[in-house]
Structure formats: structure tokens, C-alpha cells
Amino acid sequence: MTTPDVKIYSLSTCGHCKATKRFLSECNIVYDFVDVDLLEGEERSAILADVRNLNPNCSFPTIQIGGKVIVGFREDEIKEALGLK
Amino acid sequence: MNAETLQAQLSKIHEPKGYYFNTDKILVSDLLEALLTNKERYGYMVCPCRLASGDRKKDQDIICPCVYRTEDVAEFGSCYCNLYVSKDWNEGTIKHDFVPERRPVALQF
């Protein structure tokens, strides 16, 4: 089974975002991420539009795993979306 | 100012009110460092778990401790970041549920 693409919309300062990244690394999952607080101007606006599209609350981390969207570091939901349980 | 000094100062203010630092030392140290980063970046210690606008007036409700802490600790035993928690949370006598964002979307950046 192939692992779905994983993308994290995160903040560089956020504990839940750090925990999510750490957890995925521990599971040997390759992921892409963008720390939205480090972006400026149009780049930030464009990414925020993407986040709102996935999660109207626009909170962090917003995690996209294949076609699924998980809001917050919810370990069980992440595992399930990755097919780890 | 380092994270340790900040923690010592803040504990004196918040513990008497019933808000304790999480016993997860790594999490707390990371979050305190993040508060110091935000102080440098924006001029005020805005919540590390939320995206700040950089405008102090707009960010007023999420300057740590945020205005949502009272309700979140009362309902879940922890603030949104898991930085400030209740005694019960630290003693493990309540479930460590995920604390959902309480801040209205309309107030965001």
C-alpha cells in the first residue's frame, strides 16, 4: 500500500504543530509542511486561502493526508488516515 | 530573559489563580521559547499556537494568557496550547482531550 501525500500547514511556534511533525517523523512518514507565520504578503494570503478551503476555522496544524483533512494533532485520526491502524 | 526565568515569573502570577504549567517540561520550554520569539517578532507575547496579525489591537484577545484560557481550563482542564492547565490535568485525574479552537473566526488576523 502506498502512503498518501501528507502536507502540514503549521506555525513555527506552535507546540501541536511540532508534536505532529515529530510524530510523523517517528512513523517514518515523509511529509511536506509550510510554516505560515514565517510567510509574508501575497505568499501568506495565498496559503491562508488554501488553509481556509480545507479548514474554515483556519487553525493550526491543518493536516492534509491524501483526501482527508485533520485539524489539530489528533494522533488516532492521523494514524487511521495513514492506514497505520 | 530566558524561558526558565519567564516560567518562574509567570508561575508566581498564575499558580495562585489555579493555572499551572503543564508538567510536560519539553512542551512548556518550547512554548515559553516561542512566547519570547513572538515578543521579539511582534513586541508582545502572542499565543504561539495561533497566527498573529501583528496588529496589537487585533491580537489583543490572544496575547498570552489569552481570554479563552478561563473557559478552556474550566471545560477541558487546559488552555488551547496545553501550556496552562488545571491541577487535575497535571495529576491525570481528568482525560487529556484535544482542546478545540474557541476563538471566533471573525476575530482572526
Side-chain angles (χ1 to χ4, degrees), chain A residues 11 13 16 37 52 57 74, chain B residues 41 48 80 82 98 105 108:
Chain A
L11 301 177
T13 50
H16 304 303
D37 59 320
R52 278 197 196 94
N57 261 336
R74 299 177 192 255
Chain B
R41 199 185 280 173
Y80 180 57
N82 296 147
F98 176 81
V105 178
Q108 284 181 7

Side-chain angles (χ1 to χ4, degrees), chain A residues 3-51:
Chain A
T3 312
D5 284 339
V6 180
K7 173 138 191 178
I8 311 173
Y9 296 90
S10 50
L11 301 177
S12 67
T13 50
C14 156
H16 304 303
C17 300
K18 277 192 189 125
T20 304
K21 291 172 185 169
R22 193 167 49 231
F23 174 73
L24 290 172
S25 297
E26 281 167 7
C27 295
N28 296 317
I29 302 292
V30 178
Y31 61 87
D32 187 18
F33 74 94
V34 54
D35 282 334
V36 182
D37 59 320
L38 301 180
L39 303 178
E40 289 177 3
E42 281 178 25
E43 204 183 358
R44 182 190 276 208
S45 308
I47 291 286
L48 281 176
D50 292 344
V51 180

Side-chain angles (χ1 to χ4, degrees), chain A residues 64-80:
Chain A
Q64 194 175 19
I65 301 179
K68 286 186 187 160
V69 177
I70 296 163
V71 175
F73 177 46
R74 299 177 192 255
E75 208 177 300
D76 286 349
E77 286 183 33
I78 294 172
K79 275 189 189 163
E80 203 179 324

